[in-house]
Amino acid sequence: MILLYLAAHTVAGVMATVLCVRWAAGVTGPKWLRRGLRVLILGFALNIGLDGSKLLAIAARWCGGTRWDWLDSEVSRGFAFACTLFTGIGFVLPMVGGSVERTLWAKRVFLRLGPLWRALREATPAVAAALPVPWWDVELKATRRVAEVQDGRLALRPYRNPDVARAAAARASALRLAPAKVAAAVEAAVLVDAMAAKAASGDAEPPLLDDGTATALPALDQRALLRVSRMIRRPPFHLAAGTPAARRIPAGSGQGPGERCEG
C-alpha cells in the first residue's frame, strides 16, 4: 500500500513540475505570476526527492538492512518541509508580491511628487482637496496626489510661455541630458515660469488662450511627473522665472493684446 501511495505521489509531482515548467515558459502576464510558477517548480520537484528517499529506505529494509533508515527519518523530513514551504510560497507569491509592489510604488509616487505638488498647491491652493484620506490607503493617497498635480498643471495652462520652453530645451540639450530628462527639465522650467507669472498677475483674470498650439499641455504619466518633480527639487540649471505671460487672444477676434472681451 505504501508503494502505491509513493508511486502515485511521485507521478503527481512529476506531472505538476512539467506543467509548471510549461506554464512558466508560456506566461506573458504579470511577472509575479511567472515568479510564483518558478517557485512552484522547485516545490513540486522536491516532492520527487521526498518520494525517492522513502523508496530507498524501503528497498534497503527489504534487503535486510537498516543502515538507510535515516533517509526516511531525517532526509525525507527535510524534503517534506522544503517542498511544503516552496509550494506555499509559490501559490501566495503572485497575490502578495503584486500587492506589495503596487503599495511600494504608490508610496514612492506619493513621496517623490511632494516637491512638485507643494509648488503647485502654493500657486493654486484650490487644487488640494480638503477631504481626508485614510493614512493606510497609500494607493489612494498617491492617486489623489497625481490628480492634484495634473489639476495644478491645468490651472497654469494660461500662463505657460512657449519661449521659456524653447530656451529650457536648448539649455537642457546643451547639457547632453537624456531625452526623458530634457522633457522633464523643460516642463519644470515652464511650470516655474507659469507659477511666477500667475503670482505676478495677482487677482487679475488669467490670460486668454489662443487656439491651443502655443500653450498645449503635454500629457505626462506618473514616471514623467516624478522626473519633473525631481527637476523642481534639483534642477540641472537655474529655473529662472520670467515676466508674466502675455495675454493670449483667440485667433480672429480682432482684439489687441491689451484688450479684454466684453459682454
Side-chain angles (χ1 to χ4, degrees), residues 1-25:
M1 193 67 182
I2 187 65
L3 288 178
L4 182 60
Y5 165 76
L6 290 176
H9 195 262
T10 302
V11 171
V14 172
M15 291 180 61
T17 303
V18 172
L19 286 176
C20 287
V21 170
R22 291 180 180 176
W23 290 339

Short mmCIF file of all heavy atoms in Angstrom, two decimals, residues 1-25:
data_model
loop_
_atom_site.label_atom_id
_atom_site.label_comp_id
_atom_site.label_asym_id
_atom_site.label_seq_id
_atom_site.Cartn_x
_atom_site.Cartn_y
_atom_site.Cartn_z
N MET A 1 0.84 -1.21 0.00
CA MET A 1 0.00 0.00 0.00
C MET A 1 0.87 1.25 0.00
O MET A 1 0.57 2.23 -0.71
CB MET A 1 -0.92 -0.01 1.23
CG MET A 1 -2.03 1.02 1.17
SD MET A 1 -3.20 0.62 -0.15
CE MET A 1 -4.31 1.98 0.00
N ILE A 2 1.96 1.22 0.80
CA ILE A 2 2.85 2.38 0.85
C ILE A 2 3.52 2.61 -0.49
O ILE A 2 3.75 3.75 -0.91
CB ILE A 2 3.89 2.22 1.99
CG1 ILE A 2 4.70 3.50 2.15
CG2 ILE A 2 4.81 1.04 1.71
CD1 ILE A 2 3.89 4.67 2.59
N LEU A 3 3.83 1.52 -1.21
CA LEU A 3 4.44 1.67 -2.52
C LEU A 3 3.47 2.30 -3.52
O LEU A 3 3.86 3.12 -4.35
CB LEU A 3 4.91 0.30 -3.04
CG LEU A 3 6.13 -0.31 -2.35
CD1 LEU A 3 6.44 -1.67 -2.93
CD2 LEU A 3 7.33 0.61 -2.49
N LEU A 4 2.22 1.93 -3.44
CA LEU A 4 1.21 2.50 -4.33
C LEU A 4 1.07 3.99 -4.06
O LEU A 4 0.96 4.80 -4.98
CB LEU A 4 -0.12 1.79 -4.13
CG LEU A 4 -1.28 2.25 -5.02
CD1 LEU A 4 -0.93 2.05 -6.49
CD2 LEU A 4 -2.56 1.52 -4.67
N TYR A 5 1.06 4.35 -2.78
CA TYR A 5 0.96 5.77 -2.42
C TYR A 5 2.16 6.55 -2.93
O TYR A 5 2.02 7.63 -3.53
CB TYR A 5 0.83 5.91 -0.91
CG TYR A 5 1.09 7.33 -0.42
CD1 TYR A 5 0.13 8.32 -0.58
CD2 TYR A 5 2.32 7.67 0.16
CE1 TYR A 5 0.37 9.62 -0.16
CE2 TYR A 5 2.57 8.96 0.58
CZ TYR A 5 1.59 9.93 0.42
OH TYR A 5 1.83 11.21 0.83
N LEU A 6 3.38 6.02 -2.69
CA LEU A 6 4.58 6.73 -3.13
C LEU A 6 4.64 6.84 -4.65
O LEU A 6 5.10 7.85 -5.20
CB LEU A 6 5.82 6.01 -2.59
CG LEU A 6 6.04 6.11 -1.07
CD1 LEU A 6 7.24 5.27 -0.65
CD2 LEU A 6 6.23 7.56 -0.65
N ALA A 7 4.20 5.77 -5.36
CA ALA A 7 4.21 5.81 -6.82
C ALA A 7 3.25 6.89 -7.33
O ALA A 7 3.59 7.67 -8.23
CB ALA A 7 3.83 4.44 -7.38
N ALA A 8 2.05 6.94 -6.75
CA ALA A 8 1.08 7.96 -7.16
C ALA A 8 1.59 9.36 -6.83
O ALA A 8 1.42 10.31 -7.62
CB ALA A 8 -0.25 7.69 -6.49
N HIS A 9 2.21 9.49 -5.67
CA HIS A 9 2.73 10.80 -5.25
C HIS A 9 3.87 11.25 -6.17
O HIS A 9 3.98 12.44 -6.51
CB HIS A 9 3.21 10.72 -3.80
CG HIS A 9 3.41 12.06 -3.17
ND1 HIS A 9 4.65 12.65 -3.08
CD2 HIS A 9 2.54 12.94 -2.60
CE1 HIS A 9 4.55 13.82 -2.47
NE2 HIS A 9 3.26 14.02 -2.17
N THR A 10 4.70 10.33 -6.58
CA THR A 10 5.80 10.66 -7.49
C THR A 10 5.27 11.08 -8.85
O THR A 10 5.73 12.07 -9.43
CB THR A 10 6.74 9.46 -7.64
OG1 THR A 10 7.23 9.07 -6.35
CG2 THR A 10 7.91 9.80 -8.54
N VAL A 11 4.31 10.33 -9.37
CA VAL A 11 3.72 10.68 -10.67
C VAL A 11 3.07 12.07 -10.61
O VAL A 11 3.22 12.89 -11.52
CB VAL A 11 2.70 9.61 -11.10
CG1 VAL A 11 1.92 10.09 -12.33
CG2 VAL A 11 3.39 8.30 -11.38
N ALA A 12 2.37 12.34 -9.52
CA ALA A 12 1.73 13.66 -9.37
C ALA A 12 2.78 14.76 -9.30
O ALA A 12 2.60 15.85 -9.89
CB ALA A 12 0.86 13.67 -8.12
N GLY A 13 3.89 14.50 -8.59
CA GLY A 13 4.94 15.51 -8.50
C GLY A 13 5.58 15.79 -9.85
O GLY A 13 5.86 16.94 -10.20
N VAL A 14 5.83 14.73 -10.62
CA VAL A 14 6.44 14.90 -11.94
C VAL A 14 5.49 15.67 -12.86
O VAL A 14 5.90 16.59 -13.59
CB VAL A 14 6.80 13.53 -12.54
CG1 VAL A 14 7.24 13.68 -14.00
CG2 VAL A 14 7.90 12.87 -11.72
N MET A 15 4.22 15.29 -12.87
CA MET A 15 3.25 15.97 -13.74
C MET A 15 3.11 17.44 -13.37
O MET A 15 3.06 18.32 -14.25
CB MET A 15 1.90 15.27 -13.64
CG MET A 15 1.87 13.87 -14.25
SD MET A 15 0.24 13.09 -14.11
CE MET A 15 -0.76 14.24 -15.07
N ALA A 16 3.05 17.73 -12.06
CA ALA A 16 2.91 19.13 -11.63
C ALA A 16 4.14 19.94 -12.01
O ALA A 16 4.04 21.10 -12.44
CB ALA A 16 2.68 19.19 -10.13
N THR A 17 5.32 19.33 -11.88
CA THR A 17 6.55 20.03 -12.25
C THR A 17 6.58 20.33 -13.73
O THR A 17 6.92 21.45 -14.15
CB THR A 17 7.77 19.18 -11.86
OG1 THR A 17 7.73 18.90 -10.46
CG2 THR A 17 9.06 19.91 -12.18
N VAL A 18 6.22 19.34 -14.56
CA VAL A 18 6.22 19.53 -16.01
C VAL A 18 5.21 20.61 -16.42
O VAL A 18 5.50 21.48 -17.26
CB VAL A 18 5.91 18.20 -16.73
CG1 VAL A 18 5.72 18.44 -18.23
CG2 VAL A 18 7.04 17.21 -16.50
N LEU A 19 4.04 20.60 -15.83
CA LEU A 19 3.02 21.60 -16.16
C LEU A 19 3.49 23.01 -15.78
O LEU A 19 3.30 23.96 -16.54
CB LEU A 19 1.71 21.26 -15.45
CG LEU A 19 0.90 20.10 -16.01
CD1 LEU A 19 -0.31 19.82 -15.14
CD2 LEU A 19 0.45 20.40 -17.44
N CYS A 20 4.09 23.14 -14.60
CA CYS A 20 4.56 24.46 -14.17
C CYS A 20 5.68 24.97 -15.06
O CYS A 20 5.77 26.17 -15.33
CB CYS A 20 5.03 24.40 -12.71
SG CYS A 20 3.69 24.26 -11.51
N VAL A 21 6.54 24.05 -15.53
CA VAL A 21 7.60 24.46 -16.45
C VAL A 21 6.99 24.99 -17.75
O VAL A 21 7.41 26.02 -18.28
CB VAL A 21 8.54 23.27 -16.73
CG1 VAL A 21 9.50 23.61 -17.88
CG2 VAL A 21 9.34 22.91 -15.49
N ARG A 22 5.99 24.29 -18.27
CA ARG A 22 5.33 24.75 -19.50
C ARG A 22 4.63 26.08 -19.30
O ARG A 22 4.72 26.98 -20.14
CB ARG A 22 4.35 23.68 -19.97
CG ARG A 22 4.99 22.39 -20.47
CD ARG A 22 3.93 21.41 -20.90
NE ARG A 22 4.51 20.16 -21.40
CZ ARG A 22 3.80 19.09 -21.77
NH1 ARG A 22 2.46 19.12 -21.69
NH2 ARG A 22 4.40 18.00 -22.20
N TRP A 23 3.92 26.21 -18.19
CA TRP A 23 3.18 27.45 -17.94
C TRP A 23 4.14 28.62 -17.74
O TRP A 23 3.88 29.72 -18.23
CB TRP A 23 2.28 27.29 -16.72
CG TRP A 23 1.13 26.36 -16.96
CD1 TRP A 23 0.60 26.00 -18.17
CD2 TRP A 23 0.38 25.66 -15.96
NE1 TRP A 23 -0.44 25.12 -18.00
CE2 TRP A 23 -0.62 24.89 -16.66
CE3 TRP A 23 0.41 25.59 -14.59
CZ2 TRP A 23 -1.53 24.09 -16.00
CZ3 TRP A 23 -0.51 24.79 -13.93
CH2 TRP A 23 -1.46 24.05 -14.63
N ALA A 24 5.23 28.38 -17.00
CA ALA A 24 6.18 29.46 -16.76
C ALA A 24 6.83 29.93 -18.05
O ALA A 24 7.14 31.12 -18.21
CB ALA A 24 7.26 29.00 -15.77
N ALA A 25 7.03 29.01 -19.00
CA ALA A 25 7.63 29.38 -20.28
C ALA A 25 6.65 30.12 -21.18
O ALA A 25 7.06 30.91 -22.03
CB ALA A 25 8.16 28.14 -20.99
#
